[in-house]
Amino acid sequence: MNKSKVLVILALLLYILSVIFQFSNKDVIANALKSIILPLVTLLYFITVNKKSLFFTLFLVLFSISDLMIFLTPYISHDVDYFLGNSLYILAYVSLLVEASKSISLFYVLRNYKIHLLVLTILNIYLIYVLQVIVDPFVSDKTNEYYVELIYNVVMLLLLSVSLVNYFYRDNVKSLSLFIGALCIVFGEVIWVAYTYISERNLLNAVSTTLYVLAFYFFYKQSKIEQEAEREEVNMLINN
């Protein structure tokens, strides 16, 4: 069995175990297991993808580091854990946002997708407002945390919007996979907010974890598409 299959099986096993422990009310173990999944996907990416994208690599590495910080939580202050961890997530999303937008023609998008951009802007403003209303009672007396949450939500929803525009613009499987991944991760984040601030129900955490895993799958899938297309072109040239 090659390394990539071992990593895939291990990631799936960690996901299943994290859900089982979540429903067994062992949140600490469940969250620890969940935090190892993306680092495994990152390792899989480094092993299997030859032509790596700088910004997608930054996304995986930064997100993985923030996930793994869960093991440092008992040894560092709340402020360091909160601000450093969330800053890494924000930078990870910014990196993925750049990855999604780097091949888009801004002039073309502004000329052809005016209605789309207007609708997305209105929707994003509404979602940011709803998310801030949810977290406000818990961070209203902590100005810095309030703005971190605001920046986090703005960047996250910008990622979703840009990945959708990228799909409209490119209309291929790679851009579709990137959009579905962004959609899964945004829904996962929203459900995580509901779990953290509204109701600590095991089902919410399990659904959030499932959406994260699906997002990682689609992100990894889109990273492989270009490489596979190039390999097919090389094989066609050889055969001809």
Side-chain angles (χ1 to χ4, degrees):
M1 187 180 296
N2 59 38
K3 293 179 182 178
S4 60
K5 289 183 179 179
V6 171
L7 289 173
V8 170
I9 292 171
L10 186 55
L12 289 173
L13 181 61
L14 287 172
Y15 161 69
I16 293 169
L17 288 174
S18 69
V19 172
I20 291 173
F21 279 110
Q22 185 63 52
F23 282 106
S24 301
N25 293 315
K26 297 180 179 178
D27 297 355
V28 174
I29 299 175
N31 291 331
L33 292 173
K34 180 176 73 172
S35 69
I36 305 173
I37 295 175
L38 183 59
L40 287 177
V41 175
T42 303
L43 184 58
L44 181 66
Y45 172 76
F46 279 110
I47 290 173
T48 60
V49 177
N50 296 323
K51 189 177 180 180
K52 298 175 180 65
S53 164
L54 172 61
F55 292 106
F56 185 68
T57 301
L58 281 173
F59 162 73
L60 292 176
V61 171
L62 292 169
F63 207 106
S64 296
I65 293 172
S66 191
D67 271 0
L68 291 173
M69 280 184 62
I70 192 173
F71 297 105
L72 298 177
T73 299
Y75 311 104
I76 57 179
S77 67
H78 167 76
D79 286 347
V80 172
D81 184 38
Y82 179 85
F83 289 107
L84 179 58
N86 281 297
S87 296
L88 288 171
Y89 282 133
I90 290 169
L91 289 173
Y93 286 142
V94 169
S95 299
L96 191 58
L97 193 156
V98 174
E99 173 68 20
S101 62
K102 65 183 183 181
S103 60
I104 296 176
S105 168
L106 182 60
F107 176 76
Y108 180 89
V109 169
L110 292 175
R111 185 180 62 185
N112 292 278
Y113 299 129
K114 294 184 182 68
I115 301 299
H116 304 74
L117 293 174
L118 177 62
V119 172
L120 286 171
T121 301
I122 294 171
L123 181 61
N124 283 344
I125 292 172
Y126 174 73
L127 288 175
I128 291 168
Y129 169 76
V130 170
L131 290 171
Q132 290 303 116
V133 166
I134 293 173
V135 304
D136 184 67
F138 303 92
V139 298
S140 58
D141 58 337
K142 302 175 182 177
T143 305
N144 291 334
E145 291 190 12
Y146 179 86
Y147 286 113
V148 168
E149 294 289 341
L150 179 61
I151 294 170
Y152 191 104
N153 292 330
V154 168
V155 172
M156 179 181 66
L157 291 170
L158 273 176
L159 169 62
L160 180 61
S161 299
V162 170
S163 63
L164 178 58
V165 171
N166 179 54
Y167 173 60
F168 290 151
Y169 181 77
R170 299 181 67 84
D171 192 20
N172 57 24
V173 177
K174 183 179 177 69
S175 59
L176 177 61
S177 297
L178 183 61
F179 167 65
I180 294 175
L183 186 65
C184 287
I185 212 162
V186 168
F187 275 114
E189 291 277 10
V190 170
I191 292 173
W192 176 254
V193 168
Y195 169 78
T196 305
Y197 296 109
I198 299 177
S199 176
E200 292 188 359
R201 295 188 178 184
N202 291 328
L203 180 60
L204 290 176
N205 199 357
V207 171
S208 177
T209 300
T210 301
L211 287 168
Y212 279 121
V213 172
L214 285 172
F216 301 155
Y217 164 75
F218 282 106
F219 288 149
Y220 174 73
K221 179 181 177 182
Q222 68 84 30
S223 73
K224 294 278 290 180
I225 288 173
E226 186 174 346
Q227 179 174 293
E228 290 171 355
E230 289 178 356
R231 189 182 299 120
E232 288 177 2
E233 289 179 5
V234 170
N235 290 335
M236 287 177 64
L237 289 172
I238 294 173
N239 292 331
N240 291 335

